[in-house]
Amino acid sequence: MSSLLKPIESISTQYEEEMIKLSDRIWEIPETRFKEFESVKLQTTYLKEAGFEIEMGIGGIQTAFVAKYGSKGPIIGILGEFDALPGLSQKAGSEVREPLIDGGNGHGCGHNLLGTAGIGAVRLLKDLIDKGEIEGRIHYFGCPAEEGGSGKTFMVREGVFNNVDVALTWHPNSFTSVFNYSSLANYQVYFEFEGIASHAANSPHLGRSALDAVELMNVGVNYLREHVSSSARMHYAVTNTGGLSPNVVQANAEVLYLIRANTIPEVDGIYKRIVKIAEGAAMMTGTKVKVKFDKACSNYIPNDTINKIIYDKLQLVGLPAYNDEEIDYAKKMAKTITPSEFSSAIEEIKTIYEESRVDNLKDTDYPFYPEVVPYQKSTHTMAGSTDVADVSWVVPTSQFFATCFVLGTPLHTWQLVSQGKTGLAHKGMLYASKVLALTAIELLQNPDLIDQAKNELREQTKGGYVNPIPEEVVPNRYG
Ligand SMILES: [Zn+2]
């Protein structure tokens, strides 16, 4: 048995240009939650031509699909994302904030790279299956709406991953490491208030203000903050203020809440208290409240068995080398990263491996983290969420970060969009596709490791899994 690094390297070179083109095209047509129609078309057209069998609309979601290859052996699922973010339109390669379209969408989380590296990985694996080097079934899952839509949680609810033996994915970042920690569970819920419109000066006594109810609800929740665990997070956005006229008592108003905590039962407890606060606000203002559940996701369960394999492959492939032009550009971009953004990335690296040798690094000398962050099993929980988490409850799942951006580049910023089509990003993406492929190969060559990963998951999920999105909730395109 061999790692097949050499054949992987040479097949990867063959497909490099196609992968870069695909990722750049997805970057150029940034589409948001559950509306990723063109991005799906680009991917499925490519995969179909490459000989994969495509199933569209899986899990009842129009922009979810699976591309399959191989007829026997374990099923390795590679999870791909391709959705963008609103308001982050930005010219590629520019060192200043320069929207291409004012208020337009942008690939602020690098998902153009994320999905494409997954496609690169299944392409590499298909060639090895064809050559008889490996045996297995390779499924690329096109997973929409990671941003604000929890696409994968809906897909898990519909049983999409039921036959998958192992799931692998990655995320572009400003350093390279195994994703060894957990993430917060969350619920996202709309609270819609209905009151009575009226002339605000002439007949205010006849009006019942829905906007007052939203404000009182937010005050109530802000008082609740002291009485939840310190890792819990409650964020809100007023999605309807009831109009722009102060002279009309606002008859309709709506607020969207995102509630996060360590586990779903904890989120659920906080959510129930927030519903009571909303009902209280409605009572105080003489309005009515409707609670509309939008989406949810669980906490992530890292898998130590697969994480160790990934760490080995991250080192085996070796971090990309950059040319002078790329380093010059990276140095310029590094100047746009604030010292607090830079230290926040360093802190994140330290949560992955506490003794990381990061203290002597300065942001502009060499604007990349110089090594793969060493791996250790972690009990840490990151203060964010991912819908990969629900897959990790039903299938042994592992993921990693690969450097695609200068050290300290925060996710969801114009700086990240700007870097998404550059050599740095392309090199990180191609690196990630090789790591995904080599990890899959190791698992297919050693099915005992798959059993070990499954046993590990069984131990961690003894309490059972309940999908956090109620049966009647359907994916919402308009958030
Ligand atoms: Zn992301």
Side-chain angles (χ1 to χ4, degrees):
M1 261 179 268
S2 78
S3 77
L4 296 175
L5 175 64
K6 282 229 171 83
I8 285 285
E9 294 279 10
S10 75
I11 307 170
S12 174
T13 313
Q14 204 181 314
Y15 297 129
E16 224 171 84
E17 250 175 66
E18 294 173 12
M19 291 303 117
I20 291 173
K21 209 168 120 194
L22 179 60
S23 165
D24 286 358
R25 277 299 293 140
I26 296 173
W27 186 99
E28 284 156 12
I29 46 153
E31 297 170 301
T32 56
R33 59 185 264 182
F34 299 119
K35 289 175 287 204
E36 310 92 340
F37 297 104
E38 286 304 311
S39 309
V40 167
K41 205 167 153 196
L42 285 169
Q43 294 175 86
T44 50
T45 305
Y46 179 83
L47 286 160
K48 204 171 175 188
E49 277 170 18
F52 285 80
E53 182 198 321
I54 315 281
E55 264 175 57
M56 301 292 290
I58 55 171
I61 304 170
Q62 272 181 291
T63 51
F65 67 94
V66 60
K68 299 178 178 178
Y69 198 75
S71 54
K72 48 183 182 249
I75 299 178
I76 306 288
I78 308 262
L79 313 177
E81 298 167 12
F82 36 82
D83 58 323
L85 287 151
L88 280 177
S89 172
Q90 166 67 30
K91 192 174 164 193
S94 172
E95 298 122 40
V96 290
R97 175 82 175 108
E98 215 175 333
L100 286 171
I101 300 167
D102 276 329
N105 301 334
H107 267 287
C109 209
H111 293 181
N112 56 308
L113 305 162
L114 202 166
T116 308
I119 291 176
V122 296
R123 194 78 171 87
L124 299 175
L125 292 164
K126 175 185 177 286
D127 279 18
L128 293 178
I129 293 174
D130 289 344
K131 285 183 183 143
E133 298 268 14
I134 53 168
E135 200 175 271
R137 286 176 288 169
I138 309 301
H139 293 185
Y140 170 79
F141 288 95
C143 307
E146 193 279 330
E147 301 289 358
S150 287
K152 293 183 203 69
T153 313
F154 282 101
M155 291 163 81
V156 171
R157 188 186 71 179
E158 300 308 313
V160 161
F161 303 100
N162 283 357
N163 298 323
V164 176
D165 290 290
V166 165
L168 303 173
T169 189
W170 75 294
H171 202 289
N173 211 332
S174 74
F175 54 86
T176 302
S177 79
V178 175
F179 191 127
N180 62 345
Y181 41 60
S182 186
S183 59
L184 294 176
N186 75 37
Y187 279 8
Q188 186 158 281
V189 186
Y190 288 93
F191 294 86
E192 189 188 329
F193 291 90
E194 193 192 331
I196 300 168
S198 180
H199 192 293
N202 220 325
S203 50
H205 56 292
L206 300 178
R208 297 291 178 267
S209 170
L211 182 60
D212 285 357
V214 164
E215 291 192 73
L216 286 165
M217 176 183 173
N218 293 345
V219 169
V221 173
N222 288 332
Y223 273 91
L224 176 65
R225 285 183 200 283
E226 196 187 344
H227 308 288
V228 294
S229 76
S230 55
S231 54
R233 299 277 188 275
M234 295 172 285
H235 331 287
Y236 57 79
V238 179
T239 42
N240 177 11
T241 58
L244 299 175
S245 169
N247 199 28
V248 178
V249 172
Q250 291 84 356
N252 296 94
E254 184 189 71
V255 59
L256 176 62
Y257 266 81
L258 177 55
I259 308 156
R260 305 188 211 241
N262 281 325
T263 60
I264 284 293
E266 194 187 338
V267 173
D268 195 63
I270 297 170
Y271 163 68
K272 290 198 167 99
R273 291 163 80 187
I274 290 180
V275 170
K276 292 258 180 247
I277 290 171
E279 287 165 356
M283 282 169 79
M284 282 192 280
T285 50
T287 58
K288 286 182 199 139
V289 63
K290 233 191 258 164
V291 182
K292 294 188 295 183
F293 201 99
D294 186 47
K295 64 110 197 171
C297 67
S298 303
N299 55 307
Y300 176 68
I301 305 177
N303 192 290
D304 185 50
T305 309
I306 316 171
N307 280 350
K308 283 181 187 150
I309 304 172
I310 287 187
Y311 181 52
D312 179 56
K313 306 309 170 199
L314 288 170
Q315 294 174 97
L316 184 70
V317 176
L319 294 180
Y322 303 104
N323 60 34
D324 291 346
E325 195 191 323
E326 287 161 351
I327 293 178
D328 274 356
Y329 166 72
K331 281 184 177 169
K332 283 182 198 149
M333 279 312 291
K335 291 202 176 92
T336 73
I337 311 292
T338 65
S340 48
E341 285 167 344
F342 186 77
S343 22
S344 166
I346 301 297
E347 281 315 305
E348 199 184 341
I349 292 170
K350 283 183 172 171
T351 62
I352 291 166
Y353 188 74
E354 67 231 13
E355 285 147 45
S356 299
R357 53 181 187 87
V358 290
D359 291 329
N360 305 325
L361 280 181
K362 278 201 248 74
D363 42 353
T364 46
D365 303 347
Y366 180 69
F368 302 103
Y369 192 72
E371 60 178 357
V372 177
V373 180
Y375 172 66
Q376 66 187 8
K377 208 172 161 181
S378 167
T379 52
H380 179 73
T381 298
M382 73 155 179
S385 311
T386 166
D387 65 358
V388 175
D390 287 279
V391 182
S392 81
W393 276 83
V394 295
V395 178
T397 302
S398 266
Q399 49 183 337
F400 59 93
F401 293 122
T403 303
C404 292
F405 317 112
V406 305
L407 185 57
T409 307
L411 303 178
H412 299 196
T413 56
W414 69 263
Q415 288 100 321
L416 194 137
V417 186
S418 173
Q419 294 173 67
K421 245 175 126 181
T422 59
L424 323 178
H426 296 150
K427 285 182 175 173
M429 172 184 81
L430 297 168
Y431 169 81
S433 68
K434 291 181 231 174
V435 173
L436 288 167
L438 288 165
T439 305
I441 290 168
E442 172 105 32
L443 289 161
L444 291 173
Q445 287 179 335
N446 303 285
D448 286 358
L449 290 170
I450 298 179
D451 291 339
Q452 205 178 308
K454 284 184 178 171
N455 287 338
E456 190 185 326
L457 179 62
R458 219 168 284 131
E459 273 301 302
Q460 285 169 304
T461 53
K462 271 189 177 149
Y465 169 71
V466 177
N467 191 281
I469 303 179
E471 208 46 54
E472 67 282 4
V473 177
V474 293
N476 166 22
R477 254 185 230 172
Y478 304 101

